[in-house]
Amino acid sequence: MKKKFRIEMTGIFFLAGLLSCQQDVKETRLMSYNVKNGQGMDGFADYGRTANVILKEKPDVVALQELDSATMRSKGAYVLGELAQRTGMHATYAPAIDFDGGKYGIGILSKERPLNICSKALPGREEARTMLITEFKDYIYVCMHLSLTEEDRMASLPIIREALSGFHKPVFIAGDWNDTPESALLQEIEKDFTILTDTASPTYPADQPDSTLDYIAAYRPSIHIKESKGYVTEATSESDHRPVTVVIKWTE
């Protein structure tokens, strides 16, 4: 009788273990978009038009680049706040430079409010750059807009690696990295990260793209990817970049 009881209990624990494994699989929609401050290919700023591109993809979190805050160019608008209001998402901003009476930088919109936030300065001789790190319940999401100068992009790598070391959650990095898939920068990044986006589909310029500059990647040691689909959104006029989106199923 005891032996039978043990067998039945073992079966219950085995089934519970299977159910637990199934429950641990998470699905997340990640997005990255250089929005050119809400300015389209027609030269006009239209925050509603930019927000509609984001709403169409329904991301859990989106990394955004080229955002003014209270500049004369943007007539005093907090551009990330305008997009947050139109998408119903939480706004997290990281200024990189003082510009035109206000700030200019990067940001993250998210369905969840971040648990923790920090930013790190990155090299940029044509303009200072920054990296925005946001922690959520299940993962870390990082926005980066890297320098136009190759030496500065490469010099950013040890800073990025150090800043992301020690996290006990899966880490995703995203942004406009101003470099192509065959570059030395991407080869270095791929030593630690898995590129999730479709690098064969160009993202810039938006109307007739011929270069891939925008990416989302997962830190390989921190995550087990079950399924991943990355694509470039057909947004031809809302910015000078097309956004990239990834739908990923994963476990830690």
Side-chain angles (χ1 to χ4, degrees):
M1 187 68 176
K2 289 183 179 178
K3 185 176 181 180
K4 182 179 178 182
F5 178 75
R6 286 198 197 96
I7 292 172
E8 288 175 350
M9 289 303 295
T10 300
I12 291 170
F13 288 135
F14 178 71
L15 179 60
L18 286 178
L19 291 172
S20 176
C21 288
Q22 291 172 353
Q23 290 170 351
D24 286 341
V25 177
K26 300 176 177 67
E27 181 173 322
T28 309
R29 295 183 69 90
L30 309 170
M31 186 177 183
S32 182
Y33 195 10
N34 182 327
V35 297
K36 199 185 178 183
N37 208 40
Q39 185 180 90
M41 296 295 287
D42 56 8
F44 292 100
D46 185 337
Y47 306 135
R49 178 171 61 179
T50 305
N52 285 339
V53 176
I54 299 170
L55 286 169
K56 178 184 175 183
E57 296 302 330
K58 301 178 181 178
D60 295 300
V61 61
V62 50
L64 300 170
Q65 304 86 50
E66 297 197 17
L67 296 165
D68 279 7
S69 176
T71 65
M72 293 179 64
R73 175 174 66 179
S74 296
K75 300 178 181 179
Y78 173 37
V79 175
L80 185 63
E82 295 286 344
L83 297 176
Q85 183 179 19
R86 286 164 171 80
T87 58
M89 302 176 82
H90 296 286
T92 305
Y93 187 62
I97 60 171
D98 295 328
F99 177 75
D100 202 18
K103 304 287 185 182
Y104 175 77
I106 60 177
I108 286 177
L109 293 176
S110 55
K111 288 182 178 179
E112 295 180 36
R113 190 181 298 277
L115 302 175
N116 291 293
I117 302 162
C118 72
S119 61
K120 299 284 184 181
L122 295 176
R125 64 195 68 186
E126 79 287 345
E127 68 180 49
R129 302 285 172 160
T130 193
M131 170 175 59
L132 174 60
I133 304 170
T134 50
E135 180 184 3
F136 298 98
K137 176 178 175 288
D138 293 322
Y139 56 87
I140 310 294
Y141 201 57
V142 181
C143 178
M144 307 185 302
H145 189 190
L146 300 183
S147 172
L148 295 172
T149 306
E150 183 179 10
E151 291 85 353
D152 291 337
R153 291 195 297 273
M154 296 302 291
S156 298
L157 285 170
I159 301 171
I160 294 166
R161 286 186 172 117
E162 182 180 359
L164 300 182
S165 65
F167 282 115
H168 300 294
K169 293 181 179 180
V171 177
F172 300 98
I173 58 174
D176 173 4
W177 299 347
N178 275 315
D179 226 332
T180 54
E182 67 277 4
S183 66
L185 175 76
L186 267 292
Q187 291 176 30
E188 281 296 315
I189 286 175
E190 287 186 290
K191 290 180 180 179
D192 303 305
F193 289 84
T194 298
I195 304 297
L196 302 173
T197 40
D198 178 12
T199 58
S201 297
T203 61
Y204 177 88
D207 54 350
Q208 294 182 322
D210 57 20
S211 299
T212 302
L213 303 178
D214 304 87
Y215 305 89
I216 301 171
Y219 184 51
R220 197 175 295 115
S222 70
I223 190 171
H224 300 287
I225 298 170
K226 299 293 185 181
E227 185 180 331
S228 178
K229 178 186 177 183
Y231 58 92
V232 177
T233 298
E234 193 79 11
T236 61
S237 61
E238 294 84 349
S239 172
D240 60 344
H241 285 245
R242 294 188 182 191
V244 292
T245 302
V246 169
V247 182
I248 182 171
K249 293 181 179 180
W250 54 276
T251 61
E252 295 183 36

